[in-house]
Amino acid sequence: MNRAQTENKASPETKSGEAAVEINDLKKSFGTQEVLKNVSLRLLKGENLVVLGRSGMGKSVLAKCIVRLLNPDSGTIKVFGENVGELNRHGLSELRKKIGFLFQSGALYDSMTVRQNLEFPLRRIKKDLSKKEIDEKIMKVLEDVGLPDALNKMPSQLSGGMRKRISVARTIILDPMLMLYDEPTTGLDPATSDEISALIDDIQRKLKTSSLIITHDIECARATADRVIMLHDGEVHLEGKLEAFEKSADPLIVSFFKSSHGQSHK
Amino acid sequence: MEKFVPVQASILLTDVADLFVFLLRTIKETFSRNFEFREFLRQCFQIGYKSLPLVSITGIIEGLVLTIQSRPSLLKFGAVSMLPGMVAVSLIREMGPVITALICAGKIGSGMGAELGSMKVTEQIDAMEVSSTNPIRFLVVTRVLAATLMIPILIIYADALGMLGGWAGANIKGDVTLVLFFTQAFAHVGFDDLLPAVIKSFFFGGVIGLVGCYKGYSAGRGTESVGIAANSAVVLASLLVIIIDVIAVQITDMFT
Ligand SMILES: Nc1ncnc2c1ncn2[C@@H]1O[C@H](COP(=O)(O)OP(=O)(O)OP(=O)(O)O)[C@@H](O)[C@H]1O
Ligand SMILES: [Mg+2]
């Protein structure tokens, strides 16, 4: 059980084939609505896995199950070899320290300034950082997302796209081993979108993080994906390289790519 | 119409039962390590300092109105000299605590309900949880403790201003110096008037903080639930303040 973890600490350059996240037969329903019927997937270490799917197909629910913000009805989720469903509160909290989670809504703390928003996870998770190191990290990450001037603003003073970028910053500031991005580029203009996609790709290459990227943005998928999964009707509809998706004759996938193309060229 | 009352009552009962479960969770987190001291201080400031204007105005007016209203009746019995004492006793024992607590239920309870409710709806509470921060410890424990501590202070402060208001009221038709007014007043006020009032004030404070947090924390999805949380926080907190008051009166009565 602990082998994966210790090995990962010893060498971040992990072999391909080892899973950072392994989901088997995941089911989740709300009342009578079955959102995830039977989802199994593996996110390998150091890999960018893009999850595509129509609105309402349960992509966000899937991401929330991985960090156990939602409890699945059945099925197992293993993160770095640990069964998320069986962890006690302390174990869960330790595991979450290794995971960065970008909420679809951004979920910035709106009673705090941008600086405090970025400080919040840092102070709680990396307790040994000095004040200077924290400030440096904050400035660095704000430059990465292209918003160095936003430091002392309140979230309510930012535009929607700026808020999104600050939430991306808040997720990556911890250098987590696993990233879960829920729609990192929605609501951004094409140029900023490309920058964020490049940033995600950059982080993965530099830090060898494993990332699950939920998106509708084909350009983002193109820039980041090592592998793609399409969720439909509560199941993994298709899994493979992006090229395979683009060549696919499956009407569902064709329509998805066509409409997304229309959007990104607007 | 016959069904109306039982349904309402059962809703209230389940609400209070859930509130009790929430209380237990909060107590459990209160006694765990890593107390969020900074957030606690921030809440004390929010609850205490920011409520001062409202509490001041209601305090003064309470005393003023009470004096003006009581004066004619006392005059009939030729007991005007009792006026300061009577105002002091009714303010300290009942009017001050209950009216101030109800005002605070409106201001602080709804504020907490709306704040935590919107944090819940916009996933900020989830975000805290994935940052390995226990939201009950960070948000709820600090707020409930701050309310438990600050509301009694606000109540005593309102009592004091109420007495000043009473003195002003007494001077509209009569002529009493401040010193005389207070000497006469405190001749009638004993420790056994003050203590029960202070004790119940802590309960008022605790219940206002708890209900505000509970309603906000259990808000549903969608923005309309923020409004519902704020509104039902005020309703339930006010109701519980009154109920606690009834119980407190019974208990003090047993000991006097
Ligand atoms: N906490 C919840 N309670 C009840 N139903 C929920 C909850 N969370 C999600 N759902 C339902 O689950 C379904 C899937 O939601 P989800 O947010 O995962 O979709 P999505 O694939 O992320 O869509 P989008 O691309 O629009 O973000 C929706 O029908 C939603 O109403
Ligand atoms: Mg979603």
Side-chain angles (χ1 to χ4, degrees):
Chain A
M1 266 282 260
N2 282 328
R3 213 183 104 249
Q5 227 187 322
T6 34
E7 252 189 36
N8 189 63
K9 260 183 207 153
S11 70
E13 311 259 335
T14 39
K15 297 167 283 190
S16 66
E18 239 183 295
V21 180
E22 192 173 352
I23 299 178
N24 285 313
D25 305 326
L26 181 68
K27 286 191 185 53
K28 176 76 192 170
S29 16
F30 296 102
T32 55
Q33 182 195 7
E34 281 188 298
V35 178
L36 301 176
K37 288 179 192 152
N38 185 1
V39 174
S40 300
L41 63 85
R42 276 158 70 87
L43 167 63
L44 303 180
K45 283 199 176 149
E47 178 191 43
N48 279 347
L49 177 65
V50 166
V51 177
L52 298 174
R54 291 250 183 108
S55 185
M57 282 303 146
K59 303 182 297 295
S60 302
V61 170
L62 174 70
K64 283 182 190 168
C65 285
I66 295 177
V67 287
R68 211 165 125 198
L69 280 175
L70 290 172
N71 278 316
D73 300 336
S74 68
T76 56
I77 300 175
K78 283 187 182 172
V79 178
F80 300 126
E82 293 186 86
N83 191 332
V84 178
E86 288 170 359
L87 290 173
N88 59 15
R89 254 182 48 184
H90 178 73
L92 187 62
S93 156
E94 287 303 309
L95 183 68
R96 281 171 175 170
K97 290 181 183 173
K98 300 180 202 154
I99 304 177
F101 195 105
L102 172 69
F103 284 84
Q104 184 168 3
S105 61
L108 291 178
Y109 306 125
D110 44 30
S111 61
M112 303 183 192
T113 63
V114 167
R115 171 201 283 276
Q116 289 165 334
N117 261 286
L118 297 174
E119 259 178 10
F120 190 88
L122 268 188
R123 282 196 190 282
R124 271 146 208 286
I125 294 179
K126 308 225 154 153
K127 292 191 173 119
D128 46 349
L129 289 180
S130 70
K131 175 105 180 62
K132 191 160 152 278
E133 285 171 310
I134 288 182
D135 283 347
E136 275 168 8
K137 264 185 172 295
I138 289 177
M139 282 325 291
K140 159 105 185 24
V141 85
L142 280 179
E143 267 155 32
D144 282 347
V145 297
L147 286 172
D149 302 333
L151 189 62
N152 292 313
K153 294 216 170 94
M154 297 302 283
S156 58
Q157 295 171 300
L158 303 174
S159 74
M162 287 159 92
R163 276 205 290 274
K164 189 98 208 184
R165 281 190 277 166
I166 298 297
S167 5
V168 173
R170 194 178 65 182
T171 318
I172 62 180
I173 198 167
L174 293 164
D175 308 328
M177 290 155 70
L178 170 65
M179 294 276 196
L180 306 169
Y181 300 98
D182 197 347
E183 312 207 353
T185 58
T186 22
L188 300 181
D189 60 280
T192 319
S193 266
D194 288 348
E195 277 169 35
I196 296 293
S197 307
L199 184 65
I200 292 176
D201 196 43
D202 207 38
I203 291 168
Q204 183 255 342
R205 259 184 290 128
K206 264 196 223 141
L207 302 171
K208 296 281 177 241
T209 26
S210 327
S211 315
L212 187 85
I213 303 152
I214 295 170
T215 187
H216 302 283
D217 178 1
I218 298 300
E219 293 305 322
C220 173
R222 213 167 261 142
T224 56
D226 294 321
R227 209 152 53 88
V228 183
I229 271 181
M230 171 104 174
L231 268 192
H232 192 74
D233 265 347
E235 291 181 3
V236 176
H237 186 73
L238 184 67
E239 178 177 350
K241 297 266 173 207
L242 189 69
E243 297 83 59
F245 273 72
E246 282 174 316
K247 283 186 201 124
S248 164
D250 187 329
L252 199 78
I253 291 168
V254 171
S255 71
F256 192 87
F257 272 68
K258 204 167 57 197
S259 56
S260 301
H261 258 292
Q263 256 172 21
S264 62
H265 288 300
K266 223 180 347 191
Chain B
M1 201 60 200
E2 273 170 26
K3 262 200 138 182
F4 184 67
V5 175
V7 169
Q8 292 287 310
S10 78
I11 290 174
L12 179 68
L13 281 182
T14 43
D15 224 17
V16 172
D18 287 345
L19 181 68
F20 188 69
V21 174
F22 190 76
L23 171 68
L24 295 183
R25 273 174 81 185
T26 309
I27 290 176
K28 186 169 153 251
E29 291 303 330
T30 309
F31 294 106
S32 62
R33 37 193 192 96
N34 304 334
F35 182 66
E36 305 279 355
F37 198 69
R38 273 173 58 167
E39 178 70 8
F40 170 71
L41 288 185
R42 203 175 75 86
Q43 287 308 319
C44 285
F45 177 78
Q46 285 281 340
I47 294 169
Y49 184 72
K50 295 262 174 88
S51 311
L52 277 183
L54 185 64
V55 169
S56 307
I57 293 171
T58 43
I60 291 177
I61 291 177
E62 254 169 67
L64 189 74
V65 169
L66 191 60
T67 318
I68 296 174
Q69 298 268 37
S70 315
R71 192 187 177 87
S73 323
L74 288 178
L75 205 58
K76 251 188 245 165
F77 300 108
V80 185
S81 63
M82 290 286 286
L83 188 59
M86 207 212 78
V87 170
V89 170
S90 25
L91 262 185
I92 290 172
R93 289 191 80 137
E94 190 58 34
M95 301 270 294
V98 171
I99 294 184
T100 313
L102 289 176
I103 294 277
C104 288
K107 177 162 169 33
I108 298 167
S110 71
M112 285 183 185
E115 189 191 9
L116 295 203
S118 70
M119 290 186 78
K120 177 74 184 255
V121 169
T122 58
E123 300 180 316
Q124 292 174 50
I125 291 185
D126 287 343
M128 268 185 193
E129 214 162 301
V130 292
S131 301
S132 292
T133 300
N134 185 320
I136 297 262
R137 196 182 300 160
F138 185 81
L139 297 170
V140 177
V141 170
T142 51
R143 280 168 175 75
V144 174
L145 285 184
T148 313
L149 192 70
M150 296 316 284
I151 289 178
I153 295 178
L154 285 174
I155 287 176
I156 290 172
Y157 167 78
D159 288 349
L161 285 186
M163 290 301 295
L164 280 180
W167 172 67
N171 268 318
I172 293 176
K173 289 241 174 97
D175 185 17
V176 208
T177 64
L178 187 65
V179 177
L180 181 63
F181 185 83
F182 272 77
T183 327
Q184 286 183 340
F186 285 116
H188 291 90
V189 181
F191 192 62
D192 54 341
D193 293 311
L194 197 59
L195 188 68
V198 171
I199 293 176
K200 78 178 171 189
S201 301
F202 280 102
F203 281 93
F204 290 163
V207 94
I208 290 168
L210 190 73
V211 169
C213 290
Y214 159 70
K215 285 294 180 181
Y217 202 85
S218 47
R221 289 150 52 82
T223 39
E224 84 281 0
S225 47
V226 177
I228 296 173
N231 182 264
S232 55
V234 178
V235 173
L236 186 60
S238 313
L239 191 63
L240 288 179
V241 162
I242 302 288
I243 292 176
I244 289 175
D245 193 46
V246 171
I247 298 171
V249 164
Q250 304 292 328
I251 294 175
T252 11
D253 213 37
M254 282 188 333
F255 289 101
T256 43

Coordinates of all heavy atoms in Angstrom, one line a residue, chain A residues 59-60 104 182-183, ligand 2:
Chain A
K59 N -18.8 15.5 -14.5 CA -17.4 15.7 -14.5 C -17.0 16.3 -13.1 O -16.0 15.9 -12.5 CB -16.9 16.6 -15.6 CG -17.3 16.1 -17.0 CD -16.8 17.0 -18.1 CE -17.3 18.4 -18.1 NZ -18.8 18.5 -18.4
S60 N -17.7 17.4 -12.7 CA -17.3 18.0 -11.5 C -17.6 17.0 -10.3 O -16.8 17.0 -9.3 CB -18.2 19.3 -11.3 OG -17.9 20.2 -12.3
Q104 N -14.6 24.7 -10.2 CA -15.2 25.3 -11.4 C -15.6 26.7 -11.2 O -15.5 27.6 -12.0 CB -16.4 24.4 -11.9 CG -17.0 24.9 -13.2 CD -18.0 23.8 -13.7 OE1 -18.3 22.8 -13.1 NE2 -18.6 24.1 -14.9
D182 N -10.8 21.8 -12.5 CA -12.2 21.8 -13.1 C -12.4 23.0 -14.0 O -12.6 24.1 -13.5 CB -13.2 21.7 -11.9 CG -14.6 21.3 -12.4 OD1 -14.8 21.2 -13.7 OD2 -15.5 20.9 -11.6
E183 N -12.3 22.8 -15.3 CA -12.5 23.9 -16.3 C -11.6 25.1 -16.0 O -12.1 26.1 -15.6 CB -14.0 24.3 -16.3 CG -14.8 23.0 -16.4 CD -16.2 23.3 -17.1 OE1 -16.5 24.4 -17.5 OE2 -16.8 22.3 -17.4
Ligands
MG2 MG -18.6 21.0 -13.9

